Amino acid sequence: MSTLRVAMVGCGLIAPQHLEGYKRSCGRAVVVALIDTKEENATLFAQEVGGSPKIFDDLNKALEWGEFDAVDIMTPHDLHFDHALACIKANKHILLEKPMAINLQECEKLLTAGQDHVTQNKKVFMIGENAQYWPEVVKVKEIIDSGRIGDVYFAKASYCVTKLSCPLEMRVDSKRWEFNPARVGGGILMGGSCHWLRPLRMWLGEVDEVVGTVSESAFEGMPAGYETQAQALLRFKNGKTACFQGLYASHALSDTPFFQVYGSKGEITIGGGFKAGVTVYDREHVNGESQGPALGYSESFPPEIGAFVSAALDGKPLDADAMYCSGEPRISWAIYRSLESKQWEKVWDS
Ligand SMILES: NC(=O)c1ccc[n+]([C@@H]2O[C@H](COP(=O)([O-])OP(=O)(O)OC[C@H]3O[C@@H](n4cnc5c(N)ncnc54)[C@H](O)[C@@H]3O)[C@@H](O)[C@H]2O)c1
């Protein structure tokens, strides 16, 4: 197979970012089908895709047709489990947007089915976590690995976004699935927080235990009961620590760095904003040395899609397998447990 025929499932907010990745694949992937229960979303998106993809209003109808090799699942969280299982049954390569499932039980069932899909069906089962490829996050990893800031001992991740400047437009509408805790599997922790937790794991290692809390904040128009704030301390298996803050705000915010990484010889930051750059503070640069122009968050998607295409066409190993990718929702579930127990909770033991 030299060209991967892809069916995109769910033609909403994130679909154009994935499409950009297929478009940059130098012809190695082509989108041949679009599936969306709102057919008008698929029809509109087809104009961006070009090449007259087939349009379906139901995943099962598309799988019955079956003229594609891979599915890219970008549907609401509560549908991920069923959609992924249907695509495993149909023997397709799978890219499933995060989180893989909305609770631990479905997550573990999917991990087992996904593992069989990889070993027996010889198909790709990839969970989409674009932060793995966020250019600034990758750059920080390179700087840490170079030893420039010495031994890393602590990091802060601040996922604080305001409706006033978020490029992935925060469409607050109580009728939308992303503000329905039952469909999201929670609130901010099961939303975008994973993209701030993954870098911490890339830089500091595996998380052992967490203690934290979640709450509602004054967010104009947010449905009551929807968690818009989260704070947590993370202890890693190697003893290092980090803190995480998540905040969806409708008011203005200062430009707190998204990330701060502290080492024995200095600090590295990624500025606040989806197109902010990396700065290093060390003895020679006490006011900080910019590490060049920022590429930004959106540039994480083409390499993510490229990794999926290479895994399916060339058998290239994934940078993060499904078990590893269950780490971010497991951290969120442990924070929810900690809220109840008021104690540190293990991330991987339950
Ligand atoms: N990586 C990121 O930065 C990022 C950002 C936003 C969303 N996401 C993830 O992408 C996924 C989709 O989120 P979104 O913001 O694009 O949502 P969205 O609501 O904008 O789009 C979802 C689409 O799925 C369609 N849909 C709903 N039920 C369906 C079904 N049964 N079969 C087929 N289509 C169906 C909807 O009509 C809609 O067009 C989620 O997993 C979300 O967490 C990731």
Side-chain angles (χ1 to χ4, degrees):
M1 195 202 314
S2 60
T3 306
L4 191 71
R5 298 168 305 163
V6 181
M8 297 178 80
V9 193
C11 305
L13 176 75
I14 205 62
Q17 306 272 355
H18 285 216
L19 176 63
E20 182 61 24
Y22 296 117
K23 284 192 168 167
R24 289 200 212 166
S25 72
C26 304
R28 278 165 50 84
V30 57
V31 177
V32 297
L34 298 177
I35 301 134
D36 201 300
T37 39
K38 284 192 185 151
E39 233 178 303
E40 66 273 21
N41 287 7
T43 307
L44 196 65
F45 188 51
Q47 293 169 16
E48 272 184 63
V49 172
S52 309
K54 251 179 116 63
I55 290 177
F56 297 90
D57 63 2
D58 179 70
L59 174 60
N60 289 322
K61 288 184 200 163
L63 291 171
E64 235 165 75
W65 173 65
E67 302 278 314
F68 48 90
D69 314 296
V71 286
D72 184 344
I73 304 172
M74 297 165 288
T75 48
H77 297 177
D78 58 328
L79 303 174
H80 287 185
F81 178 70
D82 285 347
H83 283 171
L85 283 185
C87 296
I88 287 174
K89 203 167 160 208
N91 210 14
K92 303 297 182 191
H93 294 294
I94 297 167
L95 172 58
L96 171 63
E97 258 294 349
K98 49 56 60 176
M100 57 193 302
I102 58 170
N103 57 52
L104 183 60
Q105 201 185 12
E106 288 190 350
C107 175
E108 288 189 334
K109 280 187 191 160
L110 200 49
L111 282 172
T112 305
Q115 185 58 31
D116 290 347
H117 194 49
V118 173
T119 53
Q120 291 165 23
N121 295 348
K122 310 282 180 223
K123 289 291 190 299
V124 175
F125 181 55
M126 175 169 164
I127 308 301
E129 179 43 78
N130 55 297
Q132 182 79 35
Y133 305 95
W134 186 348
E136 283 66 45
V137 168
V138 172
K139 179 162 272 193
V140 169
K141 170 101 178 105
E142 284 165 9
I143 296 169
I144 292 171
D145 290 348
S146 76
R148 180 166 172 187
I149 64 156
D151 290 331
V152 170
Y153 58 88
F154 179 68
K156 274 192 219 168
S158 304
Y159 172 45
C160 297
V161 289
T162 162
K163 188 184 174 184
L164 303 176
S165 64
C166 183
L168 296 178
E169 185 195 345
M170 290 169 71
R171 304 147 298 172
V172 181
D173 172 353
S174 54
K175 292 187 209 77
R176 286 189 56 83
W177 70 270
E178 48 308 16
F179 299 104
N180 176 346
R183 300 207 65 190
V184 173
I188 190 169
L189 274 180
M190 291 298 282
S193 298
C194 54
H195 310 309
W196 272 248
L197 295 170
R198 171 63 61 90
L200 293 178
R201 297 174 71 209
M202 289 165 68
W203 301 330
L204 271 72
E206 194 49 277
V207 182
D208 181 28
E209 54 185 2
V210 295
V211 62
T213 185
V214 299
S215 53
E216 295 174 38
S217 55
F219 192 120
E220 209 178 305
M222 190 66 82
Y226 188 83
E227 135 218 331
T228 49
Q229 276 194 72
Q231 293 91 18
L233 281 176
L234 287 70
R235 187 147 44 220
F236 292 76
K237 291 190 170 172
N238 52 21
K240 296 174 200 272
T241 52
C243 73
F244 166 79
Q245 180 189 10
L247 173 67
Y248 289 157
S250 55
H251 53 78
L253 290 173
S254 68
D255 54 357
T256 305
F258 274 173
F259 297 98
Q260 292 164 276
V261 184
Y262 299 85
S264 51
K265 294 186 193 164
E267 179 186 346
I268 318 171
T269 63
I270 299 178
F274 288 85
K275 205 169 178 186
V278 174
T279 306
V280 175
Y281 299 79
D282 59 11
R283 186 183 285 270
E284 289 73 35
H285 307 91
V286 286
N287 294 316
E289 182 192 48
S290 164
Q291 301 300 296
L295 293 172
Y297 185 79
S298 293
E299 283 301 315
S300 57
F301 292 100
E304 177 195 8
I305 298 301
F308 177 53
V309 173
S310 298
L313 289 182
D314 314 327
K316 188 164 182 271
L318 295 176
D319 298 292
D321 66 14
M323 180 61 84
Y324 183 80
C325 292
S326 71
E328 288 82 24
R330 284 180 200 272
I331 292 170
S332 299
W333 295 324
I335 295 171
Y336 291 137
R337 290 198 304 276
S338 158
L339 180 66
E340 295 298 317
S341 68
K342 298 185 170 43
Q343 289 181 2
W344 286 89
E345 291 285 342
K346 294 282 180 193
V347 169
W348 291 90
D349 291 358
S350 58

